[in-house]
C-alpha cells in the first residue's frame, strides 16, 4: 500500500493488542522448553536443556528415535507434495485447457469429493491398502494423503491454468511444439507461483498429518513426527510437559522455516481456483 | 530356529516398560531352555508402546490383525477379550500352556477369571490394580476423627458402616469449616473410567446378570448413583465443571491435601510420592474400598487388569512360542519388577513372598486390603457402549443438563436402542 | 474418440487413478458399511461360526428350544475307541494302550480335566501342546470350536450325533455367525437416540459460529495487514499463520496452558481476587468460546492468506481513485475492498463449511465434546463411535452411517455452492481446437 | 506461398461467426484484414494457422490442402497482439524455441537466432527477459520468433495495438520492411485503418463475418464500395452529409442548400434519401463549391490543424489544413468542397 | 484554481525521482505533462492529488498550502490510465461514489449524476457494469466520476493510452470540450505528443524528473529549446542531420555537402559538431534548397504519403506529402529543405 493518506499506527495498535495472547502463548511455549518453572508461578526459575534430551539420548524401550521419525516425516511430506503437485498439475491442466469427454462431470465430482469426512473413510481405505499390499507402509500413507488432498490441489491448479493467456499456448503450437511440450515447457513455467503456493500448502498439511500414519502404518518403521509427538503419552507418573513442548517446537520448526521462506509464494494462492 | 516376536503394549508410559521387557527376559529364558534340550532358538523381540492413546492402540491392533499383520503378543485391557475373540483376532491361551503348572497355577483365580470369556482362558493377567477411595488424614482429623478412627476406616467402609452418605456429610463439613475450598470436599476422577462403575455398584448396581450373561441396567441404582454426584455438586463439595479438569492439576491438588476425599488408582501412589513429592504417604493418606452408597449396595472396588493376549497367526508354532513367552513372563519374580516399578499390584500369590514386593508397604497393604474384594468389569461385546452411555448420562446429570431421572431415562433409551437384547433393564 | 480427448484423459489419469482407488472406492465402501452392523467383534473381512456361551445365549433369545441349546452347549470329552485309534496314530500305540486300558468309557466335562488325567499316564506325550492336541482327539462336542464355514459347523454338529431339523440348522447358522450382516438399523438407531439430535444442533452451531469467526477474523487480519508497511505486515501474518502450521496438539496445549485452573488466565486474574478455574471447561458457554476461538483462528489463518492475496490483486489505482474521491479508510474498505472480496469470501465459506462439517481434531484435543457433551459435534461422534471406544468394540457400521449423513449434507452443500459459483462459467470451452 | 480460403464457415456452438468466406492471398503479398471488433478477423487468422478447425470449406497453401493438417505442421508464423512471449525465457530462448522443438543443432540455432535478431535489430538484447524490454522491443522479438523457422506464411494479429503512438509508427515500417525483405506471404489483422493502409498491398475489409471489399489501399480510399468502408478509412475520418435527391442535385436535410452532384454518379429518383461523404482534405477554404458554417472545434496537431464546421442544418463537416491557417473557434467561415472528390452513397449505404 | 508547485522533490528510497521542480498552472488552464516513460509524470500527478507525500517543497491550490492535506480533502478529480472504475458497481454507482462517501442526499445525488452523465454523453448507460462498456464509454465514466463533485482541479493520467486509434481521436476532443465547458484547471499526463498538442493550452515537457520546456503547443513545435523537445513533438517525427560547422555553414557528416545556415542562428566556431533538425513537412520537392538522395521507404497513409530519403552519407530525411505524389521506392530524388524552418542544435542538444 503506497498511499500516504492513512496512518498505520492505529492498526498497529489494534493488531498488537489482539495478537498479544497468541504472542504470549508462543513465548511461553518456547521459554518452557528451555527452562524449569515452579508450579503456580509464571516466571521460569532456571535455564535447562534437559527438555531437549530426546535429541541426543537413546530412545527408551518401545520408542523410536526422533531422528528416524524426522527423516520419515521429511520423506512423507516431500513425497506427498511431489505426487500431489504432479497429479494436480496434470489434472488441473486437463480440466482447464484440454478437450475431453465428461469434463463437467469430473470438475463437479472433484469439488464434491471435497465434502467427504475423510477420517471416517479410514476403515475402507485400510481395506483397499491391504488389498493392494500397501498397508503399514509409508508409501501407502503417502498415496492416501495425496488422494485426500488432491481435489483441493486440482481445483487450485485449474484456477491457475485458467489465468494463463491462451496466446502463449497458441504461440507454442505455432512454433511447432506438441501439446505436451507446450504444457511442459511453456505453460507450466507460467503457473510456477501457483505450483509453489500449492506445494507449500500440501507440504504444511502433510507435515502435520497425524491420523493417517497412526492408523495405516502403525509399525515403528513408518512413524512420523506427529505420531511421535502424540505418542509421548502424558506419563501419569512422571510427566514432562516441557519435553512434550520441546518435541512440539522441534516438530514445528521446519514448517515455520518453510513458511518464513515461502510466505510470499503463499500469498499467491489467490488466482488459483479461489477466484470467481 | 530364528523368529521375531512382536509385542505391542497399549497405554504404557515409561514406568511400564517391563510389560515389554518381561517378554525379552522370557525370550532369554526360553532360549536357554531350548538350548538345554539341544534345540537352537533365536528370538528377536520387537517392542512397541508408542501409541497416542488407547483408541489409537486398539485401532492399530484391530486393523493390523485384519491385515494378517498382528503383533504376536498384545498387552491390553481384559475388556478387549470379548470383541477380539469373537472376531477371531485372538486365540485362547489355554490351548497352548498348561494352566495347572507353574507359574500359571499361582495366579489369583479371580484374575484368571477376568481374562476368560465363555469359560475359555484367553489371556494371562499382566498386572492388577484397583481404584480405592482416599482420605486426607489431616482434614479428617480436623473434622474430629481420631487417629484410631482413621485407622479403623478401611474396616468400617468394608463393613458398610461408613457409606457415601457419610462421605457427603464429612465433605460438606470440611467445606463449611473451610478446611478445603468449595468443590474440594469430594474430588473425583476427571474423566471416564472404570472407577465410576464402582459407584454404580455402591448403590447396588450390577453390570452383568450372572444367570443370563447379559448386561444389566439397574435403573434404581443408576439413579441413586447419579443422584449422589448431583447432591455432591449441590452441596458444593464437588464442582459442577469438574469433569475435564487437567490430570496434572488434579494430581498436584490431591497430593497436597487440597481435597478432603477423592478416589483414584492404586498406581497413583507412584505419582503422589514421586513427581508430586508427597514424602509420607501413609502419614497423610488413608485408603479404603469405595464405600457403599446405600443398603442395596456394598463397599467395593474394581480392578482392571491388563492382560497378555495371543493373536491368531498363520504359523501356529509362532503362537506357541509366544504363549511360552507370556507364561514365563508371568513368573512372580519377573512380574514383581513391573508391579513395583509401576506401582501396580501383583498377579500371583507367591509375590507376597518375594522381598521386593513384600517390602513395598504400598504393594503389600493394597493387595491385602483391596485385591481380595475387587471385581472386574464384565467381558461382554456390548460393555464398551454400556460404559460410555452410563458415563454420558452421569455427565449430563452432573453438569445439570438433565435431572438424574431424566438422564437415566435417556440412558435406558440409548441402551435399548444400541444393545437391544443384550441388556436387561431392571 | 478423438486424439485430443485421449490427451485430456491421459493428463487426468494419474490423479484419477489415485482418487478413484483411495478416495472414491473407500467412499463407496463406506456407504456399504453404513448398511451393516460391522464392529470390532464382527470383524471387517468376514466371520466364522462358533458355539460358545455367548452365542448359545443368542440362540435361545432367538427362540431355539431349550433342549437343543442345552445339547449344543454340553462340553464333552469321551474316551472312546475312535479317539484311541486316532491317538495311536498320532502319539503311538503305547500311549493309546495306556489310555484305552485306564480310561476307556470315561467322560470329562472339560479339556482341563482330561489333560489332568493324561498327565498321570506314564507314556503321555511330553509337551504340553501335544497333550492338548491329544485331548482334542477325544472331544465330542463343538463348544468353543471355530468353524470357517457353516457347512463345517453343521457337519461337526451332526458328527457328534446331534440331529437337527432344517429350521434348526438355519437358525443355528444364522444366530451364531460371528461376522457382520446387512441391516438398516443404524439409521433407525440414530433417530432413536436423543443425544444424536443434540449433537446435530451442536454441529450447526459449530459450523456457523466458527465460520463467522474465521471469516470475520480472516478479513480483519487481511485488511489490517494490507494497510501496514510490508515488514510489520509480514510479522503479524506470521503470528497469525503459525496456528495453522503448529502441530494440533501443541496449539491446543497452548490454549490449555492459557485456560487451565493453574494456567495463565487464572494466575493473572488471581492477582485480582478472581478464584482460579478451568476457563475452557467451566461452562458449556466457555467451552464454546474456546472451540470457536481455536478453530476460528486456525480458519482465519487460511482466510488471511487468501483474502490478503486477493486484496493485493486489486489494482492500486482503484484504491487511489477512491481516496481522491474522498473515501475514508473505512469507506474504502466498505465500498471498494470488501465488494471485491466477494469471490474469495464465498470460496472460503464453501470450502470451510465442508471442512468444518467433517473436522473435529481440535475439539477432540481441547474439550473432547465436553463438558457434558455440550461441544460434541457430528464428526466427533462418528469418530467416537467408529474409532474410539474404551472397551474396544468399535462400531464401524454405525460410525459409517453417521459419516454417511455428513456426506449427504456435504453433497447437498456443494451442489448449492456449485450453483452459486456458476458452475458453467468454470467449464470454459478450450480455445485450441485440436 | 499462396493462400486460398474456399467457402470457409465457422461457428461456435449455435452462432455462426464466419459464413462461406472465400479469399485468395497471393504469394509474397501482405494483406490486411480490417474491420470492427468482433467481425471475425481473429477467427479467420486462427483458421489459417490451424488453431481453430473449419466447420466447412477448404484451406490451401499453394496447392496443398491443409484443412486437416495440425498447427504444428503448417509452418505458419504468428505474431499475437500481446506478443505472447514466453516470460520465463530470455530473448534468445524465445526466438530459438521453434528451432529447439525441432531439435536443431546448437550451432545452427545460434547462427539463425543471430541472423534473425540482426534483421529485427535486437541483436544486443538476446540475454534479456521479456519484462525488461520495451513494447517495441517485445514486438520485434515476437516477430523474430515467428520468422525464425522461415515460415511459408506470417500472420499478425493486431501486432501494434498495444504500442504507444510513437512506437506504432516505427514498428509499422519495420514490419513492412521485414516482410518485403523476406518475401513472405503475410496477413495482418487490425482495426486501425492507418496501419492497414500504410503496411499492406491489399486490404480486405470485413464486417460481420463477411468480406465487404477487397482492394489496394489507394483504390479503397478513393473508391470505397460503401459508406461503411469510406467511414472506416481516412484520418481524420470522412464526414457525412444527409440529404435527398432534388432536381438532380443533393438537397441537404433540413436546409434549402442544394449541392451539385459529381459527374458519373447515377442518382436515384427525386426525394430518395442519399448521403454525401466529404473527406477533410477535400473541404478547404480554397475550393470553389462553398458551404457556410461556424467553426465548432479546433485542434492543433503540430503541423496541421483540424477544424469542425457546423453547417446551418446542424451537419458537421471536417477540414484538415496546414498549420498556421489560424481560424478561431466560433468564427463564421465559408469553405469549399472539392466537388469531384465527393462520394455519394445510397440509402443501403452502397456507393452510387 | 491556480496550482503552484514549489521546489518539489520526491524520492523512493534512495532514488530521487523528481528534484526541485517548480511549476505554476493558471486557473482554468489545461496543462500537458509530456515526456518519455519513467520521467516522473505520474509521480508529479500523485503529488498533486496527495497520494504521494512530497519529500520537500510546497504545493499550493490558489493561495492555500495543501502540502500536508490528505487526498480526501483536496477536492481533486483524477482520471487514471486504466480508468480504475469500480468493477462491482454500475455506472451510476461509480459516478455517485464521491458523493456517497460525502453522504449527500439521494435526490441530490440523482440530480448531479444525471447532469454529469448527460455532459459526458452516457446518460443511457447508467445501469451497466464497467465490463459491459466499450473503452471510450469507460473513459467517459471515469471522467464523470472525477468531475461530479466539482473538483477544483482535474488530473488526467494517460487517459487515452488504452484506447484504439479511432476512439482516441474522439475522446481527445471530448475531454477538451468538457474541460472548457467546466472551466476547470486540468493537468494531462501523456507521452503522446499529438494528445498534448491537440488538447492543452500549455505543455510541460519533462525528462528525468526535470521540466525541460514549458510553453504553448505552437511555440513549442516551432521553437523547441532542445533536440530532445524537437524530437518529441511532430508526427511523423523530425529528422536530424549530423554535421559540423564549416565556413559559416553546415557541413554534413561524411559528405562534402554544405548547407547554408538560417539567419539568426549563432554558430559556434568552425569544426564544432552541430545538428540540423528538418521536419517532414519542410522537406518537399518544391523547396529551393535541394539535397539529393534515394527514396528508401514509402508509406501510404490515405490522404498523405510518407517518404524516407536516404542521402549519400547515409543520413535519412523524412518527407510527408499529399497523396498522389507517387514517388516509388528506390527512385532518385532531389528535394528541397525550407531553409528558414531548419532547427539547429548544439552538441549538448540545446537549440542554437
Ligand atoms: N471461442 C469462441 N466461442 C464463442 N464465440 C466466439 C469465440 N471466439 C470468438 N467468438 C465470437 O466470434 C466473433 C468473432 O470473433 P473474432 O475474435 O474473430 O473477432 P475480431 O474481429 O478478431 O475482433 P477483435 O477486433 O475484437 O479482436 C465475435 O463475436 C466473438 O464473440
Ligand atoms: N513506488 C515507487 N517505488 C520506487 N520507484 C518508483 C515508484 N513509483 C515510481 N517509481 C520510479 O519513479 C520514476 C518515475 O515514475 P513515474 O511513474 O512518475 O513515471 P511516468 O513518467 O509516469 O512514466 P510512465 O509514462 O511509464 O507512466 C520511474 O523511474 C519509476 O520507476
Ligand atoms: Mg481479434
Ligand atoms: Mg505514469
Ligand atoms: O487407566 P484407566 O482408564 O484404566 O483408569
Amino acid at each position: 500500500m503506497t498511499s500516504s493518506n492513512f496512518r498505520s499506527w492505529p492498526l498497529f495498535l489494534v493488531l498488537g493488542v489482539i495478537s498479544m495472547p497468541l504472542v504470549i502463548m508462543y513465548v511461553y511455549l518456547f521459554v518452557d522448553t528451555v527452562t524449569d518453572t515452579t508450579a503456580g508461578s509464571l516466571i521460569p526459575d532456571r535455564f535447562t536443556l534437559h527438555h531437549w534430551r530426546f535429541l541426543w539420548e537413546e530412545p527408551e524401550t518401545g520408542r523410536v528415535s526422533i531422528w528416524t521419525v524426522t527423516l520419515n516425516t521429511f520423506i512423507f511430506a516431500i513425497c506427498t507434495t511431489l505426487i500431489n503437485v504432479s497429479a494436480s498439475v496434470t489434472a488441473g491442466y486437463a480440466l482447464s485447457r484440454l478437450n475431453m469427454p465428461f469434463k463437467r462431470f469430473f470438475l463437479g465430482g472433484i469439488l464434491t469429493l471435497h465434502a467427504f469426512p475423510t477420517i471416517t473413510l479410514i476403515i475402507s481405505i485400510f481395506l483397499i491398502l491391504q488389498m493392494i499390499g500397501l498397508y503399514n507402509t509409508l508409501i501407502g500413507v503417502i498415496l492416501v494423503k495425496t488422494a485426500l488432498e488432491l481435489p483441493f490441489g486440482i481445483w487450485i491448479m485449474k484456477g491457475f491454468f485458467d489465468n494463463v493467456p491462451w496466446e502463449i499456448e497458441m504461440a507454442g503450437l505455432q512454433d511447432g511444439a506438441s501439446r505436451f511440450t507446450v504444457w511442459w515447457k511453456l505453460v507450466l513455467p507460467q503457473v510456477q507461483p501457483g505450483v509453489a503456493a500449492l506445494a507449500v500448502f500440501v507440504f504444511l498439511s502433510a507435515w502435520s498429518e497425524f491420523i493417517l500414519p497412526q492408523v495405516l502404518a502403525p509399525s515403528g518403521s513408518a512413524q512420523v513426527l506427529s505420531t511421535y509427538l502424540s505418542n509421548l503419552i502424558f506419563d501419569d507418573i512422571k510427566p514432562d510437559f516441557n519435553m512434550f513442548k520441546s518435541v512440539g517446537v522441534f516438530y514445528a520448526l521446519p514448517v515455520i522455516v518453510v513458511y518464513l521462506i515461502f510466505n510470499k509464494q503463499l500469498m499467491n494462492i489467490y488466482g488459483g481456483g479461489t477466484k470467481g | 530356529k530364528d523368529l521375531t516376536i512382536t509385542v505391542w503394549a497399549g497405554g504404557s508410559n515409561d514406568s511400564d516398560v517391563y510389560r515389554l521387557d518381561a517378554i525379552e527376559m522370557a525370550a532369554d529364558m526360553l532360549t536357554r531352555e531350548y538350548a538345554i534340550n539341544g534345540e537352537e532358538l533365536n528370538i528377536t523381540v520387537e517392542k512397541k508402546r508408542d501409541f497416542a492413546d488407547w483408541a489409537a492402540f486398539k485401532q492399530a491392533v484391530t486393523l493390523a490383525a485384519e491385515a494378517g499383520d498382528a503383533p504376536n503378543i498384545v498387552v491390553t485391557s481384559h475388556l478387549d477379550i470379548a470383541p477380539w475373540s469373537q472376531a477371531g483376532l485372538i486365540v485362547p491361551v489355554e490351548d497352548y500352556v498348561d494352566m495347572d503348572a507353574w507359574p500359571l497355577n499361582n495366579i489369583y483365580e479371580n484374575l484368571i477369571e477376568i481374562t476368560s470369556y465363555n469359560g475359555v482362558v484367553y489371556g494371562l493377567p499382566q498386572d492388577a490394580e484397583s481404584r480405592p477411595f482416599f482420605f486426607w488424614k489431616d482434614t479428617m482429623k480436623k473434622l474430629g476423627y481420631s487417629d484410631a478412627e482413621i485407622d479403623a476406616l478401611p474396616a468400617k467402609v468394608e463393613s458398610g458402616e461408613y457409606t457415601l452418605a457419610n462421605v457427603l456429610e464429612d465433605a460438606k463439613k470440611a467445606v463449611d469449616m473451610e478446611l478445603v475450598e468449595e468443590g474440594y470436599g469430594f474430588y473425583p476422577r476427571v474423566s471416564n473410567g472404570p472407577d465410576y462403575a464402582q459407584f454404580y455398584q455402591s448403590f447396588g448396581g450390577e453390570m452383568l446378570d450372572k444367570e443370563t450373561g447379559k448386561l444389566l441396567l439397574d435403573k434404581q441404582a443408576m439413579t441413586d448413583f447419579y443422584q449422589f454426584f448431583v447432591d455432591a455438586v449441590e452441596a458444593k463439595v464437588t464442582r459442577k465443571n469438574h469433569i475435564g479438569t487437567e490430570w496434572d492439576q488434579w494430581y498436584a491438588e490431591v497430593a497436597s491435601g487440597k481435597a478432603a476425599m477423592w478416589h483414584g488408582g492404586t498406581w497413583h501412589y507412584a505419582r503422589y510420592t514421586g513427581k508430586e513429592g508427597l514424602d509420607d504417604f501413609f502419614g497423610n493418606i488413608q485408603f479404603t474400598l469405595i464405600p457403599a452408597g446405600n443398603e442395596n449396595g456394598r463397599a467395593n472396588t474394581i480392578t482392571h487388569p491388563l492382560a497378555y493376549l495371543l493373536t491368531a497367526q498363520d504359523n501356529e508354532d509362532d503362537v506357541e512360542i509366544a504363549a511360552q513367552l507370556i507364561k514365563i513372563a508371568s513368573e512372580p519374580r519377573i512380574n514383581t519388577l513391573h508391579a513395583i516399578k509401576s506401582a501396580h499390584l501383583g498377579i500371583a500369590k507367591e509375590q507376597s513372598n518375594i522381598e521386593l514386593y513384600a517390602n513395598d508397604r504400598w504393594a503389600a497393604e493394597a493387595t491385602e486390603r483391596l485385591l481380595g474384594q475387587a471385581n472386574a468389569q464384565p467381558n461382554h461385546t456390548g460393555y464398551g457402549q454400556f460404559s460410555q452411555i452410563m458415563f454420558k448420562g452421569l455427565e449430563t446429570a452432573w453438569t445439570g443438563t438433565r435431572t438424574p431421572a431424566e438422564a437415566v431415562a435417556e440412558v435406558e433409551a440409548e441402551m435399548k436402542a444400541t444393545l437391544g437384547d443384550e441388556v436387561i433393564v431392571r | 474418440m478423438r486424439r485430443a480427448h485421449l490427451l485430456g484423459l491421459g493428463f487426468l489419469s494419474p490423479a484419477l487413478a489415485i482418487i478413484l482407488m483411495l478416495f472414491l472406492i473407500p467412499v463407496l465402501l463406506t456407504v456399504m458399511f453404513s448398511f451393516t452392523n460391522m464392529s470390532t467383534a464382527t470383524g471387517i473381512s468376514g466371520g466364522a461360526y462358533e458355539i460358545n456361551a455367548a452365542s448359545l445365549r443368542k440362540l435361545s433369545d432367538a427362540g431355539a428350544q431349550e433342549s437343543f441349546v442345552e445339547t449344543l452347549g454340553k462340553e464333552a470329552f469321551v474316551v472312546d475307541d475312535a479317539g484311541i485309534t486316532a491317538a495311536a496314530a498320532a502319539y503311538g500305540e503305547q500311549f493309546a494302550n495306556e489310555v484305552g486300558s485306564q480310561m476307556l468309557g470315561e467322560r470329562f466335562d472339560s479339556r482341563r480335566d482330561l489333560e489332568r488325567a493324561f498327565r498321570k499316564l506314564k507314556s503321555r506325550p511330553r509337551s504340553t501342546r501335544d497333550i492338548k492336541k491329544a485331548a482334542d482327539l477325544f472331544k465330542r462336542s463343538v463348544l468353543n470350536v471355530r468353524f470357517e464355514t457353516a457347512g463345517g459347523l453343521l457337519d461337526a454338529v451332526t458328527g457328534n450325533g446331534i440331529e437337527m431339523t432344517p429350521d434348526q440348522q438355519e437358525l443355528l447358522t444364522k444366530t451364531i455367525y460371528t461376522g457382520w450382516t446387512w441391516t438398516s438399523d443404524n439409521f433407525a438407531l440414530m433417530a432413536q437416540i436423543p443425544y444424536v439430535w443434540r449433537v446435530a444442533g451442536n454441529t450447526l452451531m459449530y459450523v456457523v459460529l466458527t465460520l463467522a469467526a474465521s471469516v470475520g477474523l480472516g478479513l480483519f487480519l487481511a485488511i489490517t495487514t494490507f494497510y501496514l508497511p510490508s515488514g510489520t505486515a509480514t510479522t503479524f501474518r506470521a503470528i497469525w499463520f503459525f496456528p495453522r502450521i503448529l502441530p494440533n496438539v501443541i496449539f491446543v496445549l497452548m490454549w490449555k496452558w492459557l485456560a487451565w485452573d493453574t494456567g495463565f488466565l487464572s494466575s493473572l486474574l488471581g492477582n485480582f481476587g478472581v478464584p482460579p478455574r478451568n476457563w475452557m471447561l467451566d461452562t458449556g458457554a466457555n467451552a464454546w468460546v474456546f472451540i470457536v476461538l481455536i478453530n476460528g483462528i486456525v480458519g482465519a489463518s487460511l482466510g488471511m492468506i487468501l483474502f490478503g492475496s486477493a486484496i493485493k490483486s486489486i489494482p492500486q489505482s482503484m484504491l487511489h481513485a477512491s481516496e481522491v474521491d474522498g473515501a475514508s479508510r473505512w469507506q474504502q474498505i466498505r465500498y471498494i475492498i470488501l465488494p471485491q472480496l466477494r469471490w474469495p469470501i464465498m470460496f472460503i465459506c464453501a470450502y470451510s463449511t465442508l471442512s468444518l462439517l467433517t473436522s473435529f481434531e481440535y475439539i477432540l484435543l481441547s474439550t473432547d465434546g465436553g463438558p457434558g457433551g455440550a461441544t460434541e459435534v457430528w464428526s466427533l461422534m462418528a469418530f467416537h463411535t467408529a474409532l474410539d471406544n474404551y472397551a474396544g468394540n468399535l462400531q464401524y457400521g454405525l460410525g459409517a452411517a453417521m459419516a454417511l449423513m455428513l456426506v449427504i449434507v456435504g453433497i447437498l452443500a456443494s451442489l448449492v455452492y456449485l450453483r452459486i459459483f456458476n458452475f458453467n462459467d468454470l467449464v470454459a470451452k478450450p480455445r485450441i481446437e485440436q | 506461398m499462396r493462400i486460398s480460403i474456399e467457402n470457409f464457415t465457422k461457428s461456435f456452438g449455435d452462432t455462426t461467426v464466419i459464413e462461406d468466406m472465400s479469399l485468395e492471398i497471393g504469394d509474397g503479398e501482405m494483406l490486411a484484414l480490417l474491420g470492427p471488433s468482433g467481425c471475425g478477423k481473429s477467427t479467420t487468422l486462427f483458421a489459417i494457422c490451424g488453431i481453430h478447425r473449419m466447420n466447412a470449406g477448404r484451406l490451401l497453401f499453394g496447392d496443398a490442402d491443409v484443412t486437416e493438417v495440425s498447427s504444428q505442421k503448417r509452418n505458419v508464423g504468428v505474431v499475437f497482439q500481446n506478443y505472447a512471449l514466453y516470460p520465463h525465457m530470455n530473448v534468445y530462448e524465445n526466438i530459438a524455441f521453434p528451432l529447439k522443438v525441432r531439435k536443431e543443432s546448437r550451432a545452427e540455432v545460434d547462427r539463425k537466432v543471430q541472423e534473425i535478431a540482426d534483421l529485427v535489430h535486437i541483436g544486443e538484447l538476446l540475454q534479456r527477459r521479456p519484462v525488461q524490454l520495451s513494447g517495441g522491443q517485445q514486438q520485434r522479438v515476437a516477430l523474430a520468433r515467428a520468422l525464425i523457422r522461415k515460415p511459408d506464411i506470417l500472420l499478425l494479429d493486431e501486432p501494434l495495438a498495444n504500442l504507444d503512438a510513437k512506437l506504432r509508427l516505427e514498428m509499422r515500417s519495420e514490419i513492412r520492411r521485414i516482410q518485403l525483405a523476406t518475401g513472405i506471404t503475410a496477413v495482418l489483422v487490425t482495426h486501425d485503418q492507418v496501419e492497414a493502409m500504410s503496411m499492406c498491398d491489399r486490404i480486405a475489409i470485413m464486417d460481420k463475418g463477411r468480406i465487404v471489399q477487397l482492394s489496394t489501399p489507394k483504390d479503397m480510399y478513393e473508391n470505397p464500395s460503401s459508406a461503411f468502408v469510406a467511414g472506416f478509412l481516412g484520418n481524420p475520418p470522412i464526414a457525412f452529409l444527409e440529404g435527398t435527391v432534388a432536381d438532380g442535385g443533393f438537397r441537404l436535410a433540413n436546409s434549402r442548400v442544394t449541392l451539385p452532384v459529381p459527374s458519373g454518379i447515377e442518382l436515384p429518383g427525386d426525394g430518395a434519401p442519399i448521403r454525401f461523404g466529404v473527406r477533410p482534405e477535400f473541404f478547404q477554404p480554397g475550393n470553389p463549391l462553398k458551404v457556410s458554417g461556424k467553426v465548432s472545434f479546433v485542434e492543433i496537431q503540430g503541423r496541421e490543424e483540424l477544424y469542425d464546421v457546423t453547417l446551418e442544418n446542424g451537419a458537421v463537416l471536417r477540414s484538415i489544413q496546414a498549420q498556421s491557417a489560424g481560424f478561431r473557434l466560433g468564427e463564421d467561415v465559408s469553405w469549399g468542397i472539392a466537388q469531384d472528390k465527393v462520394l455519394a452513397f445510397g440509402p443501403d449505404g452502397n456507393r452510387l
Side-chain angles (χ1 to χ4, degrees), chain B residues 371-415:
Chain B
L371 211 48
Q373 306 290 324
N375 66 325
Q377 303 166 96
N379 288 341
H380 187 288
T381 48
Y383 180 71
Q385 280 151 296
F386 180 91
S387 143
Q388 224 158 28
I389 297 168
M390 178 167 81
F391 185 72
K392 240 167 19 192
L394 173 66
E395 244 191 313
T396 56
W398 190 328
T399 52
T401 322
R402 297 278 187 277
T403 66
E406 288 166 354
V408 171
E410 271 190 17
V411 165
E412 180 183 359
E414 194 171 344
M415 284 192 179

Side-chain angles (χ1 to χ4, degrees), chain B residues 105-250:
Chain B
N105 56 4
N106 192 243
I107 297 178
Y108 292 112
E109 283 80 14
N110 61 345
L111 291 185
I112 293 284
E113 185 88 349
I114 291 168
T115 56
S116 305
Y117 180 55
N118 288 328
V120 177
V121 184
Y122 271 95
L124 296 181
Q126 189 274 326
D127 59 15
E129 33 95 313
S130 145
R131 287 131 202 273
F133 207 86
F134 292 107
F135 298 85
W136 189 255
K137 284 187 173 172
D138 196 39
T139 309
M140 294 303 281
K141 277 184 220 159
K142 290 189 182 133
L143 285 175
Y145 287 87
S146 66
D147 281 334
E149 279 171 317
I150 292 175
D151 288 342
L153 255 182
K156 278 175 77 178
V157 168
E158 190 174 341
S159 67
E161 274 172 73
Y162 189 89
T163 65
L164 288 177
N166 302 105
V167 167
L168 265 194
E169 204 177 292
D170 284 340
K172 186 156 172 38
K173 252 198 278 174
V175 170
D176 289 347
M177 290 167 64
E178 298 191 355
L179 301 175
V180 295
E181 285 169 34
E182 262 182 27
Y184 284 85
F186 171 50
Y187 206 57
R189 175 183 169 121
V190 295
S191 65
N192 188 15
D195 307 46
Y196 284 105
Q198 299 177 140
F199 290 89
Y200 174 56
Q201 295 188 144
S202 288
F203 288 97
E206 306 250 4
M207 290 170 283
L208 195 75
D209 180 51
K210 288 262 156 35
E211 243 158 67
T212 56
K214 294 185 182 186
L215 295 168
L216 186 68
L217 166 63
D218 182 334
K219 282 164 70 178
Q220 185 59 47
M222 196 65 84
T223 317
D224 293 342
F225 153 44
Y226 289 178
Q227 186 67 51
F228 169 72
F229 283 89
V230 172
D231 289 345
V233 168
E234 259 163 28
K236 296 201 183 336
V237 305
T238 301
R239 292 187 320 210
K240 191 172 188 167
N241 55 20
H242 182 82
I243 298 287
T245 303
E246 284 304 321
W247 274 111
D248 241 29
Q249 172 198 343
W250 186 89

Side-chain angles (χ1 to χ4, degrees), chain A residues 50 59 70 80 145 150-151 153 177 272:
Chain A
H50 184 63
T70 306
T80 304
K145 179 69 183 168
L150 255 183

Side-chain angles (χ1 to χ4, degrees), chain D residues 93-149:
Chain D
E93 291 162 337
N94 261 283
I95 300 177
F97 185 76
L99 304 182
K100 209 155 153 200
V101 299
R102 285 200 291 188
K103 306 210 187 328
E104 298 202 2
S105 79
R106 181 92 212 161
E108 187 77 336
V109 171
D110 269 357
R111 192 184 55 71
K112 287 193 183 166
V113 170
Q114 202 47 255
E115 191 180 299
I116 199 88
D118 289 344
L119 180 70
V120 301
H121 303 321
I122 46 167
E124 303 80 52
L125 307 175
L126 291 179
Q127 292 318 313
R128 296 223 198 141
R129 290 278 167 121
V131 283
Q132 299 168 314
L133 299 179
S134 75
Q137 291 167 332
Q138 292 184 21
Q139 190 56 74
R140 283 171 221 248
V141 176
L143 203 57
R145 187 182 62 186
L147 291 174
I148 190 146
R149 51 170 193 163

Side-chain angles (χ1 to χ4, degrees), chain D residues 217-288:
Chain D
K218 193 164 167 155
D219 179 56
M220 200 171 271
Y221 187 76
E222 287 166 0
N223 292 307
S225 68
S226 67
F228 175 80
V229 175
F232 222 86
L233 297 188
N235 175 18
I238 195 169
F240 288 103
L241 297 173
E242 308 286 332
T244 47
V245 179
D247 311 327
F250 172 71
R251 157 87 47 90
L252 270 177
N254 308 319
S255 159
R256 314 210 143 218
V257 179
T258 308
L259 300 175
V261 174
S263 58
I265 293 182
E266 207 151 305
L267 282 183
D270 262 19
I274 61 168
R275 288 212 279 173
F276 262 26
V278 183
R279 296 204 182 271
E281 66 268 32
F282 302 133
F283 180 55
Q284 299 285 343
N287 289 341

